[in-house]
Amino acid sequence: ARSARFAPHYPNTGFYLIRSSTRSKIFNNQLLGSYSLVLAWQSHQALVSQTLAEAHAAYGLSVQILNKELFPSGKQFHHNKPLFQRIQAGNFTPYCFHMCWTAGKDDKLKFLKQVNLWFLPPRCDISSMLKNPDTLPASCVREICPLSSTRRLLLNSSSSSSLPS
């Protein structure tokens, strides 16, 4: 949401990368030390937003926004139909996709399957996961966004926009 609660960077905490640096270590320590606020506010995203804004202002932590086509979210799914028509047709493959802005696991699964972004076998569908969450086979766990490839992509990407540092 573009409310003041998430300003000024509006991060999506469903998928993000933190590069190792002195500033990011301070940020992480502040974030982890404030876990009680996640419980009180019932939002990890609100805490990350506030801590990120404070770190940016206090000690110059830089923020880079991931390219919205390579790393689309549920917002793009619901508001950028041409992009998802290309994905569904197999003409474009995003690097990683996070189905936020969508209520309920059933709708998320349905939409992911519609655009060919559900990669797990049928035994790993929502009904199976809900019936046996503690006994899911290891094969239902799959790494979709490998860190080494993500790091290479981000370091070499010139299509991402940077916020002031």
Side-chain angles (χ1 to χ4, degrees), residues 14-17 66 70-72 93-99 112 117 119-120 141-154:
F15 177 79
Y16 57 97
L17 172 76
L66 296 173
L70 292 174
F71 297 89
T93 303
Y95 191 79
C96 186
F97 176 67
H98 176 238
M99 183 55 91
L112 287 167
L117 291 174
F119 302 102
L120 299 177
V141 179
R142 180 172 173 170
E143 189 175 330
I144 303 299
C145 302
L147 177 60
S148 60
S149 298
T150 303
R151 181 183 298 155
R152 249 192 333 272
L153 178 68
L154 292 174

Side-chain angles (χ1 to χ4, degrees), residues 69-138:
E69 232 179 65
L70 292 174
F71 297 89
S73 70
K75 181 180 180 184
Q76 283 78 36
F77 175 82
H78 293 292
H79 298 285
N80 187 348
K81 295 298 180 190
L83 172 62
F84 280 87
Q85 288 169 345
R86 287 175 41 221
I87 292 170
Q88 187 172 19
N91 297 326
F92 178 74
T93 303
Y95 191 79
C96 186
F97 176 67
H98 176 238
M99 183 55 91
C100 57
W101 285 55
T102 305
K105 293 176 184 170
D106 290 332
D107 279 346
K108 290 179 183 194
L109 179 62
K110 178 178 79 174
F111 296 149
L112 287 167
K113 286 181 175 181
Q114 281 176 1
V115 292
N116 302 317
L117 291 174
W118 184 254
F119 302 102
L120 299 177
R123 72 179 181 285
C124 302
D125 67 9
I126 292 296
S127 60
S128 297
M129 286 190 243
L130 293 175
K131 286 179 193 170
N132 305 307
D134 297 326
T135 60
L136 274 175

Side-chain angles (χ1 to χ4, degrees), residues 16-32 51-52 55-56 59-63:
Y16 57 97
L17 172 76
I18 300 175
R19 292 184 182 153
S20 180
S21 70
T22 301
R23 292 174 183 164
S24 67
K25 288 175 185 174
I26 295 168
F27 168 75
N28 276 329
N29 285 336
Q30 290 174 320
L31 195 61
L32 294 172
T51 308
L52 190 61
H56 180 71
Y59 50 87
L61 181 72
S62 62
V63 178

